[in-house]
Amino acid sequence: MATSMTHLLVTVLLVAAHTAFAETNMLQDLCVADLKGAKVNGYACKDPSQITPEDFYYIGLAAPADTSNTAMGSAITAGNVEKIPGLNMMGTSMSRIDYAPGGLNPPHLHPRASEAIFVLEGRLFVGFLTTTGKLISKHINKGDVFVFPRALLHFQQNPNNAPASVIAAFDSQNPGTQSVGPSLFGANPPIPDDLLAKAFGVEPQVIQKVKGKFPAKK
């Protein structure tokens, strides 16, 4: 009897899990995001009668962004659901990243997406870290593609004397970004100095100095 009940419970759980997975797929032609509506793990659908071609259109990735006023010499122009409401529920988005000579898109991760970049111009040094600490890196050129797995730390650097740019594609309408430096040293409330000092094997005074370079997030 106990074995039968166990089999029944496992069957019910498997069916429930399969149903939950299946329901993540679209159940209608489209679901344009209502950016002014309530947000619960995403956006509700806009009234179909209010949908326009502009909901599926965005010109923001066409031109290079200004990198002159950025601390790292790189600028990211997002093409996510907040810029293209028609992406809602489609599980995809794009960005453009522009790099000044010597520019860097510092180590960061995307918790909700893998990323593939296509080099529009220039030459980059790119790479990611596995959970075992192995660095997978390569110099890539115009026309090349490089892929960063979901939720792994990665970076792009322009070590050259000319600008560079890429188009990045994500398998999420809102991939999210968590940068190492600002997350650790600009947290709000702040992470205690002694904790970070022990984690990095340095004195608390060093941590305080680094924190001065990363204003606390609001």
Side-chain angles (χ1 to χ4, degrees):
M1 179 66 177
T3 301
S4 298
M5 289 299 294
T6 300
H7 287 167
L8 177 61
L9 178 60
V10 170
T11 301
V12 170
L13 290 175
L14 288 173
V15 170
H18 175 75
T19 301
F21 176 78
E23 289 298 311
T24 62
N25 294 324
M26 289 272 281
L27 301 179
Q28 55 204 46
D29 289 342
L30 45 85
C31 176
V32 174
D34 180 0
L35 300 180
K36 297 180 180 180
K39 185 178 180 181
V40 181
N41 195 31
Y43 292 99
C45 300
K46 185 177 181 179
D47 183 343
S49 67
Q50 301 299 314
I51 293 174
T52 72
E54 302 306 311
D55 291 321
F56 301 89
Y57 172 80
Y58 183 54
I59 198 173
L61 307 186
D66 182 10
T67 59
S68 61
N69 294 321
T70 62
M72 295 292 171
S74 66
I76 301 172
T77 306
N80 57 25
V81 67
E82 295 176 350
K83 300 291 181 65
I84 313 172
L87 287 177
N88 197 37
M89 297 295 293
M90 292 189 181
T92 186
S93 60
M94 301 176 70
S95 290
R96 176 181 177 132
I97 312 172
D98 294 289
Y99 314 83
L104 172 69
N105 188 10
H108 63 282
L109 59 86
H110 303 292
R112 297 183 289 273
S114 299
E115 176 183 3
I117 59 171
F118 173 80
V119 183
L120 293 172
E121 293 291 343
R123 187 169 186 262
L124 296 170
F125 175 60
V126 302
F128 64 87
L129 282 168
T130 70
T131 55
T132 61
K134 182 176 182 179
L135 173 63
I136 309 293
S137 63
K138 187 174 179 62
H139 285 90
I140 57 176
N141 303 289
K142 180 177 179 178
D144 290 348
V145 171
F146 196 86
V147 176
F148 305 105
R150 179 190 299 261
L152 292 186
L153 283 172
H154 60 282
F155 61 85
Q156 303 106 34
Q157 180 190 35
N158 178 11
N160 307 294
N161 295 322
S165 58
V166 304
I167 289 291
F170 304 91
D171 60 344
S172 170
Q173 66 185 39
N174 191 11
T177 300
Q178 187 170 34
S179 296
V180 174
S183 294
L184 290 175
F185 301 105
N188 185 19
I191 300 174
D193 292 349
D194 61 331
L195 187 157
L196 290 173
K198 186 172 183 178
F200 286 96
V202 298
E203 296 298 320
Q205 294 88 336
V206 175
I207 298 299
Q208 292 171 7
K209 185 175 181 179
V210 175
K211 281 186 173 180
K213 299 179 181 296
F214 296 95
K217 297 179 180 180
K218 296 182 180 180

